[in-house]
Structures are given as structure tokens and as C-alpha cells.
């Protein structure tokens, strides 16, 4: 037993006060002079003695009040081992609802095991239900309500996400930081090997968390899946399209499989392939007959295994006419159109149709009919054309501006905005040129820095405020002297990309290098929004809904189930959309472009092989087999071996002392009123 | 009696008045004013009747105007003109110093004594005397109608401070040797002696034709003692002390003192004595009224 504030025990010395009142003052009874004691009887002394005996009770109560008050202020406590009584414990039930739990009756088994555990949970213990996939979501808060817990377990349904034990460990760490009681974490999962993070350390559980594993779906069933499909996202000539698919078997014997290509719900081609035992086989479809527009395509196999949802791989293909592009150049510059058009034709055959016009010819052109516009070293842009170009960009159009020697004569950069600074004429310097010094490889048009190493720049235009205005301009390439070479600025819903040199093979030798073709291809695809278009995405991927941060027109999204996941407010401001379900998403972007995105579950989920027993034992911190029921022996997580059960805990006795103090005070009041009160006046 | 007059008979009010003469005058004047010339009582200046002269009558009382008209001698008589004699016996023992409120019993007794003496001398033209006693006669002022008698009596009252114990036999025995004439004897005492003993000591005074009025003075605290849970009472006369309980004081004691009062009342009446219980928080008119009643009976 100890005291939090032992100094207050000195208050017990106050017991001297009631002792003085009772033992010292008691003998000095009040002496009252009276005219005559003729009618009093001294034999009443015995009654007084009896009364004094009663005073001992009053004295004892008063001493108790003083001592208990001093004890209460000192706040006593006792150290008590928690082994004798069941400690307050939080049971956390994490139920894996990832895509692999669709196999067989895994999710139903997991929920049944969780309900069985809840049925045996002590009534005084709190519990919480979590759903585990790529993220951990709390289905309930910590509660003792068994009905709420059961309802939460029942409400969990399968998802298309990939499970992550690293996310579970992170959630356990967060719970342990906020919970005062020890946590017993029950994981109901198929314990897939592929759910492990690359580093085992990410799965480590904090001290105070005891992990109990409830494995379902053992042993692992054989599973075939369409692992991947390689298909173009956009085709202009269907005869040129080639579809490649990889069929994988996980824990499977060798088997012949029929692979079908389905376009808009119709099987257009079929192949039979021999899939080796637990191996992969590739199949190819040479042509793809498609209608114009987006088509919902899929590659299917007839596997009839435990997880049929991964027997189909969805993808989309857009068949479109070549997109028109416009290149505006000075009449005297015949080299730039030649180099650019040649590179574009080589990079994306049949994808684009390029119109080349001089500035004078383009004065009355409406740019809105073009997918992109290139202003190639244009010295002076007519006012009407400049306005139309700015309006075009604001509505989502894209413009590539190059600044050669002709454009340097103007003070302002057309469309892009900003003033031109002193131009850099590197040809007059000792080396005669400068190379690319820094490259932002994350920028879609840049590629690898090594591609730019041999490119010589003899001239580059300097812009004012490019570096300072970082919120709207992004420098993707810099020359060795720090001069920005490739800059992007978002204007409204569109983009303007600026190359501070030309395409004329005079201000640089870029058109003579292979990187020029790749650069033109990536830049134009990026500007037209077709660069990142893949034929299929994975569940939980994000897709960008708008280019800039400015709010504009709403984005329309229809998910695979035909619902609109974005509210009106979110559709007007959301920058990204997470693809949470497998299937086809229909999107209409703010710039008016439409897209159809195929989403497939992560194929890591198709591998139903569980974690090795030794790995599981290492995770739990105790060697042994994985439990298969709720009644399995419980193990302690690493770092939690010295659990709270073995640690003496301080239990405060303050409330008990206060209760006794209250009772003593009440008893003292009653005794004092009874013994010392003035008798009621008689009639 | 009006509230204004009653106020001058309140002992608490009289306690604020210095000087027994002023107290007596205040009490008596207020009391007389409240009587409104009641037919029950006569004072010496009120005309009563004419009576034929008889040999031996005092010639100063002959109405010479009547004699001139009728040539017959008539005596003019006044109401209350009986030349009575008042003797006040004041118990000045220690028990008379008890008080549970502002007025001690001895003060209350002095107010009554002074009022009676003032009433007798100034209003009735009676001779008045005073005996202050405890266990012996402490001071004695012979009854007289001489000039300055009232001042002598009041001075003796002023000096009557409580001391010693009460004993009736010795002082009354001593007093019997002085009382030659019949008259009214007023005894002011708290009578803390057995009733038989009191009556036995007082009764001989009655044998000589005296009218004896026994005023029994008690404090309200003696009738209903207020004692706390634990108290030790000290007898003012004997210094005896012992603890008492509130329960006894509220029960048994009251029974006993009530029985004592009733015994006194019965014994006094049996002996032909007038008995009046006076509580010191009550107005003084009861004593005056009792005295006048007794005196009226003598006429």
C-alpha cells in the first residue's frame, strides 16, 4: 500500500481536537448557579455516567472522520497483480474482406468464426470490428453491445481490393496508442502470402497487442486466372491491333484451357492453350474487330475453380479516327514543320493528322477543331488568333509553344504568357552549345535523362518569373546553366507546354536525335490526354479527373454498378477518383473528353497460397500451428511477451476511503444530534 | 388596564429606572391611574361619611362647618382612613439573587416592597415598617407615619443585598417582640423551605390579629429550568453542587416544585394567610391588587 500524497497524513494529528473536546473538556461540566437544589435529586449522576459512555461512540466516530479525511487526502493505493482478476481488455476482430475471400466460403467461414468468438466474449469486455483489405476500416467503435458487434460482422461483404497485413499492423499501432487496455487482435483471414508487405518489419505489432490468427480456406484451392492482358488503349486500324493475354495457374495441375476474347459481350475469338502445372501460358489474338468508340473487352477462361471472379480480365479499347493537329509556323520556317510532322508520323502512325499552316494562313482558323496546336517559333501571333488560342486552352485544349530566334524578337510569349528575358546564344560561348542539365523524369514527356545527354542546344529563350511562379508552371527540363527548357503551365482546363528552343535544327540538334521522335510522341499524347490511357486499371487505382486545381465544369462518373459515386459538389472539385470496384467505369471529364476504364482486381489476390507456418509463427511471436477456430490457444505478439497480466497495477483506494468518510460523518451527525441536542421544551 | 399603564408595571421596564422611590411612584401612580376610581378600594383623601362625635374622638376630625350650621359635632370620615399599619418582611437570602432573565428575585421583591410602602404612606397615610431578614433579622425599620419614613424605608431596601440562607423561625421570633399593634404583614420570599415549616413560623403572626400576605416569588427559570445536556447545578445558599439531567429538569423537577407551590397555597389558606405566587417576569399589579384586597377587608 502506498500514498500518492503522503504529506497529507500529517493531517491525522488533528485527532487531538476531538480528544481534547471529549477527554479534557468532558470533566468540566457546565456549572449553573441555581436558587435551590431542594427539588433536584443527586441520584441522577448515574444517568450522566451512562451518557458519558455513549460519548465514547461519538468520540470514536469523530476520530474516524479525522483519520479518514487525512487518508483521503493522501490518496492511498495498493499494488495488485492483475492475474487474479480478468483485466479490462479490448478485443479487436479484423475480418479480411479482400478479393481472395470470395473463393469458396472463405468470407462466410470467417464471419462465422467471428460470431462464435463474440458469443464466448465476456460481457464486461469491449470489442471492435474492423474490415481488412488494402486499408483497414472500422465497422464499429469499441463497444460492449453484442448485438451491434454481431450486426457489424454480418454487414461485412466481399470487396475487390487486395488485403494488406501492413495496413493491419499500422491500424493496430494506432489502436494501441489510443487504447488504455491491452488489445487482443483476432484476424479472420485466408492469410495469403501475397498480402505480406515487402518488408516483414511493416507487419510488426506494438507491445500490448496480442495477435490471434483464425485461418480460413485451408488448404489452398487451385486457381487459374487471366493474369494480364496487353492491349492498346486506342486503335485507329483494327487490323493492326494485337491482344496478348497471360493465363496463370496457382497451385494447379497442367491443363488445357479455352481462352475467349469478348467484345461488348460477344465472343469474337477463341483459343485453346496448355497451361503447365502452376505455370503460365500466353495467348495472342491477331486482330480486333471493333466498332467506333469505346468497347468493353475481356479475356475469359473456362476454369471452374474456387475463385471464378478472376477468370475474366477486363479492358477497354477505343477505336477512333485520326485526331487532327495544327502546327503554325512562320512562312520562312520550313524546317520545323518537316521535322515535327515526320516525327509524329513515325511515332503514332494513323493516330494524328497534322495540318501545317503559316501564321498568316492560321489567322482565321478556329483551333477548337484540333486536338492540339503547335506554335512553332512564331514571331507575332495575330490578336484574334491569340485570343482564340487562349479560349481554346481555357476550355481544355492543349498548345505546344516553341521559342526559336524568331519568337525571341517579341517581348511576350504567345498564349503561355510571361515576358521574354535575355536570350541565351550558346553558339557564341567557348563550348558552342549546352546540354540538358536536369530532367524531371516524372513528367510524361521527358522520358529518361540519358536520352537527352547528346542533344546540343545552341540557343534558348529566357523567361521572366518562370522559377518564382512555381504554382502554375512546372519546369520539366533545365539546361546545364539552369535555364528552363521545357515548362508546363495550366490555364483553365487546358495545358500549355513551352519549349524554350525550336524544332528547326538551327537552335539545337534535337530533331536529329532519336529522342526527338519519342519526345514528340509523348508530348502530343500527353497534350491530347491519350498518353496515360491504358486498356485496364487495377482496383484501388486513382484516376485524375481534371488537370488544374481550378474548379470548373463537373465530372461525371458512373461506376460498374451504374451508380454515380461523386456528389455534385465533389464532381465539380474532385481531383482524383479511386477505382474501388472491379468492372467498367464511365467518365466524362471536365474538358468534355469521355473515357471508359476497365478495372480488374489485383492479380496478387489470385494466388491463394497461404503464408508459411514459420512466417506465421514469427508474426505471432510464438512457434506453433495456426489456430483454426475461435477456441485456439492465444499467443502473444512480439514485444508483448511481458504482458499487462504480469505487471502489478496501482489500484486507488480513494473512493473506498471517501465512502467510509461519508458514512462516518453521517453517523457522527446522528450520534451528536441524539446525545448532545437540547431536549424539546415540554408543555 | 391600558397597555401604557401596564408598561409601567413591567419589571423589565422598572429595572431601567434608578431609585426605588421613583420605581415606587411609577408603579403606584400607574396602578392607581388604571383603577379609575374603583369602588372597591378607598384612599384616605376620598370622603366617605359623617359620624356623630363620641367622647374620645380626635377633635381635629370634627367638621366645624357642619357644627356651625347645626350646632352638632360630626366627624368627617374618609375612605380607607383606618390608620392601618403595614410591615414588609423581605427575604434577602442568597436564593433571592437568582435570575434567569433581566430582573433578579431580590430586585423584583424590592420593587414590590417599595411600591407597597409608597402606597401605604403616600396614598393611605398608613404607618409602614420594614424587616429585612435572611437567617436572622438584618435590618428593621419600625412602622411609623413620621415625616421621612418613606425615605428611611427605601434606604433600607437599597441596602438589602442577598446573602446567607433563609430561616423563618429566628427572624419571625425576633419580630414578634416588636409588633405591638395589629396591622398587615407582607412577606416577600421564595419560600425554599418545607411548607409546614414556613406556615409554622408565620402562623403566630396571625394570632395577634394581623393580616398576613404571603408573596411567593419565583423566577420563571425556577418553574421551567432550561438545562443543557450536561450541567452541574450549584445551590446559591448551601453551595451544594451535583450534576443534573435535562430530562429530570423537564420532568420530575417540575412535578415537585408544582407540588410544593400547591402545598404552600393550601397550607397558607388553611392558616388564614393570603397567598400569592409572583413570577418575576410578570407585572407588579397582582401584588398591589392582593394587598389592597387584604386592606379592604380590614376596613
Amino acid at each position: 500500500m502506498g500514498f500518492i500524497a503522503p504529506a497529507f497524513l500529517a493531517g491525522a494529528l488533528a485527532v487531538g481536537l476531538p480528544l481534547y473536546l471529549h477527554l479534557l473538556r468532558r470533566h468540566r461540566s457546565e456549572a449553573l448557579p441555581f436558587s435551590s437544589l431542594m427539588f433536584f435529586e443527586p441520584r441522577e449522576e448515574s444517568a450522566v455516567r451512562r451518557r458519558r459512555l455513549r460519548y465514547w461512540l461519538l468520540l470514536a466516530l469523530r476520530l474516524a472522520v479525522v483519520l479518514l479525511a487525512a487518508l483521503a487526502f493522501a490518496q492511498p493505493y495498493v499494488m495488485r497483480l492483475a492475474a487474479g482478476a480478468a483485466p479490462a481488455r479490448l478485443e479487436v476482430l479484423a475480418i479480411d474482406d479482400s478479393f481472395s475471400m470470395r473463393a469458396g466460403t472463405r468470407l462466410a467461414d470467417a464471419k462465422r468464426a467471428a460470431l462464435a468468438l463474440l458469443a464466448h466474449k465476456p460481457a464486461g469486455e469491449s470489442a471492435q470490428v474492423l474490415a481488412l483489405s488494402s486499408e483497414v476500416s472500422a465497422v464499429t467503435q469499441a463497444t460492449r453491445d453484442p448485438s451491434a458487434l454481431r450486426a457489424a460482422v454480418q454487414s461485412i461483404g466481399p470487396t475487390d481490393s487486395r488485403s494488406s497485413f501492413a495496413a493491419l499492423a499500422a491500424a493496430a499501432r494506432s489502436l494501441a496508442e489510443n487504447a488504455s487496455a491491452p488489445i487482443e487482435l483476432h484476424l479472420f483471414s485466408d492469410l495469403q502470402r501475397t498480402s505480406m508487405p515487402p518488408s516483414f518489419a511493416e507487419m510488426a505489432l506494438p507491445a500490448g497487442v496480442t495477435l490471434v490468427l483464425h485461418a480460413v480456406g485451408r488448404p489452398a484451392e487451385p486457381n487459374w486466372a487471366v493474369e494480364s492482358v496487353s492491349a492498346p488503349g486506342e486503335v485507329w486500324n483494327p487490323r493492326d491491333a494485337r491482344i496478348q493475354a497471360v493465363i496463370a495457374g496457382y497451385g494447379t495441375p497442367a491443363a488445357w484451357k479455352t481462352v475467349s476474347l469478348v467484345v461488348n459481350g460477344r465472343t469474337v475469338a477463341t483459343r485453346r492453350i496448355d497451361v503447365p502445372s502452376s505455370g503460365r501460358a500466353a495467348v495472342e489474338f491477331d486482330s480486333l474487330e471493333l466498332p467506333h468508340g469505346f468497347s468493353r473487352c475481356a479475356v475469359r477462361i473456362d476454369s471452374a475453380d474456387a475463385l471464378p471472379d478472376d477468370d475474366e480480365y477486363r479492358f477497354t479499347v477505343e477505336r477512333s479516327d485520326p485526331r487532327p493537329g495544327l502546327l503554325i509556323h512562320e512562312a520562312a520556317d520550313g524546317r520545323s514543320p518537316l521535322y515535327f510532322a515526320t516525327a509524329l508520323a513515325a511515332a503514332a502512325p494513323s493516330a494524328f493528322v497534322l495540318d501545317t499552316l503559316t501564321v498568316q494562313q492560321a489567322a482565321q482558323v478556329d483551333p477548337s477543331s484540333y486536338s492540339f496546336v503547335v506554335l512553332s517559333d512564331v514571331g507575332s501571333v495575330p490578336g484574334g488568333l491569340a485570343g482564340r488560342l487562349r479560349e481554346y486552352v481555357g476550355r481544355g485544349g492543349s498548345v505546344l509553344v516553341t521559342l526559336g530566334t524568331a519568337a525571341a524578337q517579341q517581348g511576350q510569349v504567345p498564349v503561355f504568357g510571361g515576358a521574354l528575358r535575355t536570350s541565351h546564344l550558346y553558339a557564341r560561348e567557348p563550348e558552342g552549345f549546352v546540354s540538358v542539365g536536369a530532367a524531371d523524369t516524372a513528367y510524361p514527356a521527358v522520358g529518361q535523362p540519358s536520352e537527352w545527354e547528346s542533344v546540343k542546344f545552341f540557343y534558348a529563350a529566357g523567361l521572366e518569373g518562370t522559377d518564382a511562379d512555381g504554382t502554375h508552371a512546372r519546369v520539366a527540363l533545365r539546361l546545364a546553366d539552369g535555364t528552363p527548357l521545357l515548362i508546363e503551365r495550366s490555364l483553365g482546363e487546358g495545358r500549355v507546354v513551352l519549349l524554350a528552343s525550336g524544332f528547326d535544327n538551327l537552335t539545337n540538334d534535337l530533331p536529329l536525335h532519336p529522342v526527338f521522335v519519342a519526345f514528340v510522341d509523348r508530348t502530343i499524347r500527353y497534350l491530347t490526354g491519350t498518353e496515360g490511357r491504358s486498356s485496364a486499371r487495377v482496383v484501388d487505382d486513382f484516376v485524375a479527373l481534371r488537370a488544374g486545381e481550378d474548379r470548373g465544369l463537373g465530372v461525371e462518373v458512373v461506376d460498374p454498378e451504374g451508380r454515380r459515386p461523386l456528389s455534385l459538389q465533389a464532381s465539380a472539385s474532385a481531383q482524383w477518383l479511386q477505382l474501388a470496384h472491379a468492372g467498367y467505369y464511365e467518365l466524362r471529364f471536365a474538358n468534355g473528353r469521355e473515357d471508359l476504364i476497365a478495372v480488374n482486381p489485383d492479380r496478387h489476390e489470385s494466388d491463394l497460397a497461404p503464408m508459411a507456418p514459420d512466417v506465421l509463427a514469427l508474426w505471432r511471436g510464438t512457434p506453433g500451428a495456426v489456430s483454426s477456430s475461435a477456441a485456439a490457444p492465444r499467443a502473444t505478439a512480439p514485444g508483448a511477451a511481458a504482458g499487462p497480466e504480469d505487471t502489478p497495477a496501482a489500484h486507488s483506494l480513494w473512493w473506498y476511503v471517501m465512502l467510509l468518510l461519508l458514512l462516518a460523518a453521517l453517523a457522527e451527525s446522528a450520534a451528536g444530534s441524539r446525545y448532545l441536542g437540547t431536549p424539546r421544551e415540554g408543555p | 388596564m391600558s397597555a401604557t399603564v401596564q408598561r409601567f408595571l413591567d419589571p423589565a421596564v422598572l429595572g431601567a429606572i434608578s431609585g426605588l422611590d421613583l420605581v415606587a411612584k411609577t408603579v403606584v401612580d400607574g396602578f392607581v391611574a388604571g383603577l379609575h376610581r374603583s369602588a372597591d378600594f378607598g384612599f384616605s383623601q376620598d370622603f366617605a361619611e359623617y359620624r356623630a362625635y363620641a367622647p374620645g374622638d380626635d377633635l381635629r376630625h370634627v367638621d366645624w362647618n357642619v357644627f356651625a350650621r347645626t350646632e352638632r359635632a360630626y366627624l368627617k370620615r374618609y375612605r380607607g382612613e383606618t390608620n392601618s399599619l403595614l410591615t414588609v418582611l423581605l427575604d434577602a437570602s442568597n436564593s433571592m439573587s437568582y435570575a434567569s432573565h433581566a430582573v433578579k428575585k431580590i430586585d423584583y421583591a424590592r420593587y414590590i416592597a417599595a411600591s407597597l410602602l409608597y402606597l401605604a404612606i403616600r396614598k393611605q397615610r398608613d404607618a409602614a415598617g420594614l424587616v429585612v431578614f435572611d437567617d436572622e433579622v438584618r435590618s428593621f425599620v419600625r412602622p411609623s407615619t413620621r415625616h421621612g419614613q418613606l425615605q428611611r424605608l427605601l434606604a433600607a431596601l437599597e441596602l438589602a443585598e442577598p446573602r446567607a440562607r433563609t430561616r423563618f423561625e429566628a427572624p419571625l421570633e425576633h419580630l414578634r417582640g416588636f409588633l405591638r399593634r395589629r396591622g398587615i404583614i407582607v412577606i416577600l420570599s421564595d419560600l425554599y423551605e418545607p411548607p409546614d415549616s414556613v406556615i409554622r413560623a408565620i402562623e403566630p403572626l396571625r394570632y395577634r390579629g394581623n393580616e398576613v400576605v404571603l408573596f411567593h416569588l419565583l423566577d420563571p427559570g425556577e418553574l421551567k429550568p432550561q438545562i443543557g445536556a450536561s450541567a452541574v447545578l450549584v445551590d446559591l445558599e448551601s453551595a451544594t453542587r451535583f450534576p443534573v439531567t435535562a430530562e429530570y429538569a423537564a420532568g420530575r423537577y417540575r412535578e415537585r416544585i408544582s407540588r410544593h407551590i400547591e402545598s404552600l397555597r393550601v397550607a397558607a389558606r388553611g392558616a388564614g394567610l393570603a397567598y400569592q405566587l409572583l413570577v418575576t417576569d410578570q407585572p407588579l399589579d397582582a401584588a398591589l391588587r392582593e394587598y389592597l384586597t387584604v386592606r379592604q377587608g380590614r376596613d
Side-chain angles (χ1 to χ4, degrees):
Chain A
M1 181 172 174
F3 300 94
I4 296 177
F8 282 102
L9 289 176
L13 297 177
V15 297
L17 180 62
L19 284 174
Y20 166 77
L21 294 176
H22 282 255
L23 299 181
L24 300 180
R25 289 195 59 199
R26 186 193 66 174
H27 300 293
R28 294 195 300 172
S29 298
E30 185 183 8
L32 294 177
F34 203 77
S35 50
S36 174
L37 301 185
M38 180 178 174
F39 304 113
F40 284 99
E41 295 180 2
R43 61 182 171 87
E44 292 301 316
E45 177 76 12
S46 59
V48 175
R49 284 199 184 124
R50 195 164 55 247
R51 173 182 296 271
R52 282 180 180 167
L53 287 179
R54 292 173 186 170
Y55 283 0
W56 284 108
L57 172 62
L58 191 59
L59 172 63
L61 290 172
R62 287 175 174 175
L63 292 177
V65 167
V66 172
L67 292 175
L68 288 173
L71 199 60
F73 275 100
Q75 300 186 48
Y77 65 89
V78 293
M79 301 299 293
R80 193 170 60 189
L81 288 176
R89 183 174 51 189
L90 174 62
E91 291 197 356
V92 177
L93 283 68
I95 299 176
D96 185 357
D97 62 352
S98 62
F99 177 74
S100 64
M101 295 296 284
R102 294 175 181 265
T105 60
R106 294 187 174 200
L107 184 58
D109 294 343
K111 290 163 68 173
R112 193 179 307 114
L115 291 174
L117 179 67
L118 288 177
H120 293 87
K121 181 181 76 66
E125 280 190 0
S126 298
Q128 185 174 9
V129 178
L130 306 178
L132 169 66
S133 55
S134 59
E135 297 175 346
V136 175
S137 56
V139 187
T140 67
Q141 298 298 318
T143 179
R144 292 187 177 91
D145 185 1
S147 60
L149 294 169
R150 284 195 298 271
V153 171
Q154 295 285 11
S155 67
I156 292 177
T159 67
D160 297 323
S161 298
R162 177 186 178 186
S163 59
S164 169
F165 294 149
L168 178 64
R173 285 191 289 272
S174 176
L175 285 173
E177 289 177 0
N178 299 323
S180 57
I183 296 175
E184 192 169 77
L185 176 59
H186 295 265
L187 175 60
F188 302 87
S189 171
D190 53 5
L191 299 175
Q192 274 184 289
R193 181 176 55 200
T194 55
S195 298
M196 294 177 58
S199 170
F200 186 80
E202 297 179 37
M203 296 170 58
L205 297 173
V209 176
T210 305
L211 178 64
V212 181
L213 299 174
H214 303 260
V216 295
R218 286 176 179 268
E221 303 91 339
N223 183 39
W224 286 274
V226 181
E227 187 178 49
S228 65
V229 170
S230 174
E234 187 175 14
V235 297
W236 296 271
N237 185 359
R239 294 180 181 177
D240 297 336
R242 295 175 60 192
I243 309 296
Q244 290 181 324
V246 176
I247 312 302
Y250 303 99
T252 54
W256 282 90
K257 291 294 177 184
T258 301
V259 184
S260 303
L261 175 63
V262 180
V263 176
N264 294 326
R266 185 172 59 89
T267 302
V268 298
T270 301
R271 301 281 189 277
R272 280 193 56 87
I273 58 169
D274 181 15
V275 181
S277 172
S278 298
R280 290 173 173 78
V283 62
E284 180 173 329
F285 298 92
D286 295 331
S287 63
L288 185 62
E289 290 297 330
L290 295 171
H292 280 79
F294 289 102
S295 293
R296 304 184 181 209
C297 307
V299 174
R300 290 177 184 163
I301 59 173
D302 52 344
S303 66
D305 53 19
L307 187 58
D309 294 294
D310 63 353
D311 294 343
E312 177 183 76
Y313 194 99
R314 304 173 189 85
F315 62 99
T316 61
V317 179
E318 180 186 12
R319 180 179 178 183
S320 60
D321 293 327
R323 297 175 189 270
L326 174 62
L327 186 141
I328 302 173
H329 60 96
E330 291 288 345
D333 179 18
R335 304 163 65 95
S336 296
L338 173 63
Y339 286 116
F340 185 84
T342 304
L344 185 62
S350 307
F352 299 100
V353 177
L354 184 66
D355 291 342
T356 58
L357 300 175
T358 65
V359 177
Q360 292 74 21
Q361 293 171 336
Q364 303 300 325
V365 169
D366 180 10
S368 62
S369 58
Y370 292 96
S371 296
F372 63 92
V373 174
V374 180
L375 287 178
S376 177
D377 192 18
V378 176
S380 175
V381 179
L385 177 60
R388 287 195 296 276
L389 284 174
R390 281 193 293 270
E391 184 179 354
Y392 163 71
V393 173
R395 291 180 177 176
S398 300
V399 174
L400 172 63
V401 180
T402 64
L403 299 177
T405 55
Q409 299 173 2
Q410 305 297 321
Q412 297 288 324
V413 181
V415 184
F416 188 85
L420 281 171
R421 209 170 47 185
T422 304
S423 299
H424 302 277
L425 192 57
Y426 301 109
R428 294 180 180 175
E429 294 182 359
E431 289 190 5
F433 66 91
V434 68
S435 301
V436 172
D440 180 2
T441 56
Y443 191 72
V446 170
Q448 296 300 317
S450 58
E451 299 175 358
W452 296 86
E453 289 177 351
S454 58
V455 180
K456 299 176 182 177
F457 288 87
F458 311 110
Y459 168 86
L463 276 72
E464 287 185 351
T466 303
D467 293 336
D469 192 7
T471 56
H472 296 288
R474 175 181 180 181
V475 178
L477 286 175
R478 286 182 187 273
L479 296 176
D481 64 346
T483 302
L485 178 65
L486 186 66
I487 311 164
E488 180 195 318
R489 173 171 288 177
S490 296
L491 297 175
E493 295 289 340
R495 299 187 183 97
V496 180
V497 176
L498 174 70
L499 181 69
S501 195
F503 285 158
D504 52 4
N505 193 25
L506 294 176
T507 54
N508 54 62
D509 63 353
L510 176 63
L512 304 181
H513 289 269
V515 70
F516 181 66
V517 177
F519 171 70
V520 169
D521 179 45
R522 290 192 293 252
T523 302
I524 296 306
R525 287 186 182 276
Y526 173 59
L527 291 178
T528 56
T530 58
E531 97 293 347
R533 189 177 191 288
S534 59
S535 59
R537 299 286 189 96
V538 179
V539 170
D540 293 334
D541 269 2
F542 288 86
V543 60
L545 296 180
R546 48 176 43 89
E549 296 181 355
D550 298 335
R551 293 190 176 190
L553 299 174
V555 178
E556 291 187 20
V557 179
V558 179
D559 68 6
E561 298 177 357
R563 296 174 302 193
R564 298 179 187 275
L566 296 181
S567 64
L568 287 177
Q569 183 179 6
S571 64
S573 59
Q575 297 285 318
W576 301 91
L577 172 70
Q578 186 175 25
L579 305 170
H581 304 287
Y584 298 97
Y585 280 82
E586 298 176 15
L587 291 89
R588 178 187 293 274
F589 295 95
N591 59 7
R593 186 171 59 87
E594 294 183 353
D595 202 355
L596 181 69
I597 298 176
V599 181
N600 295 287
D602 193 320
R603 284 303 185 252
H604 288 93
E605 289 289 302
S606 297
D607 185 358
L608 301 179
M611 297 167 66
D614 57 336
V615 177
L616 288 175
L618 182 63
W619 191 21
R620 298 167 57 206
T622 302
V626 178
S627 64
S628 56
S629 69
R634 295 171 176 176
T636 305
E645 293 84 354
D646 301 329
T647 305
H651 293 267
S652 175
L653 301 177
W654 188 84
W655 284 107
Y656 302 103
V657 174
M658 286 301 293
L659 182 61
L660 290 175
L661 175 60
L662 176 64
L663 294 176
L666 291 175
E668 192 274 341
S669 299
S673 174
R674 181 177 176 186
Y675 299 154
L676 305 181
T678 301
R680 183 184 296 274
E681 180 62 42
Chain B
M1 192 174 290
S2 67
T4 304
V5 174
Q6 180 74 22
R7 177 173 170 269
F8 290 106
L9 301 175
D10 189 343
V13 175
L14 297 175
I17 300 175
S18 62
L20 280 176
D21 55 344
L22 188 56
V23 170
K25 185 176 188 303
T26 301
V27 171
V28 173
D29 290 348
F31 176 72
V32 171
L35 291 179
H36 296 293
R37 289 194 178 276
S38 170
D40 296 336
F41 308 108
F43 293 91
S44 57
Q45 59 267 46
D46 298 336
F47 173 76
E49 61 179 355
Y50 284 103
R51 179 172 66 83
Y53 175 76
D57 288 340
D58 191 346
L59 293 176
R60 290 178 297 179
H61 295 154
V62 175
D63 190 340
W64 297 109
N65 293 328
V66 175
F67 178 77
R69 290 197 298 269
T70 63
E71 293 184 349
R72 290 183 181 177
Y74 288 94
L75 297 180
K76 190 175 184 180
R77 291 179 60 88
Y78 298 86
R79 299 193 63 177
E81 190 177 57
T82 55
N83 288 328
S84 183
L85 185 146
L86 170 66
T87 303
V88 175
L89 275 66
L90 175 63
D91 178 5
S93 65
N94 247 345
S95 62
M96 293 291 284
S97 64
Y98 178 78
S100 65
H101 60 108
V103 180
K104 296 180 180 178
K105 286 193 291 184
I106 187 64
D107 293 333
Y108 192 87
R110 283 191 288 209
Y111 297 159
I112 292 177
S115 302
L116 294 176
L117 295 171
Y118 179 86
L119 179 64
I121 294 174
R122 291 293 170 84
K123 298 295 183 183
Q124 308 291 95
R125 300 182 187 279
D126 288 342
L130 174 67
V131 176
V132 179
F133 69 98
D134 38 48
D135 54 353
E136 60 184 8
V137 175
R138 195 189 304 172
S139 64
F140 174 53
V141 180
R142 289 178 179 276
S144 172
T145 58
R146 289 184 301 165
H147 180 70
Q149 177 70 3
L150 181 61
Q151 281 67 35
R152 282 189 290 274
L153 292 170
L154 295 182
L157 280 177
E158 294 282 3
L159 295 175
E161 289 300 325
R163 70 183 189 194
R165 308 182 57 174
T166 306
R167 283 187 59 202
F168 283 94
E169 288 83 358
L172 293 184
E173 180 67 24
H174 177 76
L175 184 62
R176 282 197 289 269
F178 293 101
L179 296 180
R180 304 294 183 187
R181 294 177 54 192
R182 296 184 301 163
I184 300 175
I185 298 174
V186 172
I187 301 175
L188 297 166
S189 174
D190 50 10
L191 301 177
Y192 273 116
E193 287 198 21
D196 296 341
S197 173
V198 173
I199 297 304
R200 189 168 53 249
I202 295 175
E203 196 173 18
L205 298 177
R206 181 80 175 93
Y207 297 157
R208 298 191 177 189
N210 294 305
E211 295 292 336
V212 179
V213 181
L214 195 56
F215 285 134
H216 188 186
L217 271 63
L218 287 178
D219 188 276
E222 293 172 309
L223 294 173
K224 295 180 179 178
Q226 299 296 325
I227 297 176
S230 174
V232 174
L233 296 187
V234 181
D235 193 307
L236 287 174
E237 294 189 354
S238 64
T240 305
R241 54 193 302 156
F242 51 74
V244 296
T245 62
E247 290 86 349
Y248 183 86
R252 178 78 175 137
Y253 170 83
R254 294 188 187 181
E255 294 175 6
R256 297 185 66 177
I257 196 166
S258 298
R259 195 158 56 238
H260 174 70
I261 292 171
E262 189 60 28
S263 300
L264 279 173
R265 190 192 311 276
V266 171
R269 287 182 180 172
L273 309 177
Y275 174 86
Q276 179 69 38
L277 175 65
L278 299 177
V279 184
T280 58
D281 62 348
Q282 299 298 316
L284 280 68
D285 60 322
L288 299 181
R289 192 179 298 275
E290 179 69 20
Y291 166 71
L292 290 178
T293 302
V294 172
R295 191 183 185 283
Q296 182 72 13
R298 288 181 55 84
D299 291 338

